[in-house]
Amino acid sequence: MKKGTVEAAVGMFVVLGLLCVGYLTIKLGKMDWIGGNFYTVNARFQSVSGLKEGAEVVIAGVVVGKVDHIRLDRDRMEAVVEMRIQREVSLSDDVIASVKTAGLIGDKYIRMTPGGSEEIIPPGGMIIETESPIDIEELVGKYVFGGVTGPSGQD
């Protein structure tokens, strides 16, 4: 009898340990429980070079969501970015979504600049105003090969 009691206690300890590991994996991995407290919005960009799924969505320096999915609209040849935004954050229909870089060579993220409209983008709605990232390679190439002019219009 005593051996069975010890085995049962060890079994319960192992199960409890696995439940704790599972909970910590979900919490530390920032996963959401079935749906979570988010809604989705979409935005079209001419280019999203360097932006990856899972990138942060920021308003005034505060993370309010993440990039959920990036796909190509084959009809318009534009990138469509699907973002998950916290439910307590309402986006006006004149918000501007910009692809920005954290630091000089940092990761790309989406910065939202709020507008002044009273109209709110519904879940699944589309952000109209967008800004694609600046292509540093293109700017350097123009400067090196003489495509950039000085303030007086001269090289």
Side-chain angles (χ1 to χ4, degrees):
M1 275 303 210
K2 194 167 192 163
K3 185 178 180 184
T5 305
V6 171
E7 288 176 354
V10 169
M12 292 298 287
F13 183 75
V14 168
V15 169
L16 183 63
L18 288 174
L19 288 173
C20 289
V21 167
Y23 175 78
L24 287 174
T25 301
I26 290 172
K27 278 301 197 189
L28 294 177
K30 297 181 181 174
M31 294 174 62
D32 299 316
W33 298 96
I34 306 173
N37 195 22
F38 296 91
Y39 68 98
T40 60
V41 293
N42 300 298
R44 294 181 187 277
F45 293 89
Q46 293 294 320
S47 170
V48 290
S49 65
L51 186 69
K52 296 179 181 163
E53 293 178 2
E56 295 177 339
V57 177
V58 175
I59 295 177
V62 178
V63 177
V64 296
K66 69 177 187 174
V67 173
D68 200 31
H69 186 67
I70 302 171
R71 66 179 173 83
L72 178 67
D73 181 348
R74 295 178 192 265
D75 295 333
R76 298 174 74 167
M77 297 308 286
E78 293 178 326
V80 177
V81 178
E82 182 179 307
M83 295 166 277
R84 292 176 33 160
I85 307 295
Q86 296 170 1
R87 284 218 183 270
E88 59 268 11
V89 176
S90 297
L91 299 175
S92 60
D93 65 352
D94 61 347
V95 67
I96 301 171
S98 309
V99 179
K100 298 294 183 183
T101 303
L104 287 176
I105 55 172
D107 291 334
K108 301 281 185 174
Y109 67 97
I110 302 253
R111 182 178 72 190
M112 298 283 195
T113 306
S117 174
E118 297 292 325
E119 296 293 320
I120 302 299
I121 297 175
M126 183 69 69
I127 295 173
I128 305 301
E129 298 291 329
T130 61
E131 295 176 348
S132 296
I134 296 172
D135 189 0
I136 300 296
E137 291 177 9
E138 184 178 325
L139 286 176
V140 170
K142 284 182 179 179
Y143 181 75
V144 168
F145 296 111
V148 175
T149 60
S152 62
Q154 300 174 355
D155 287 341

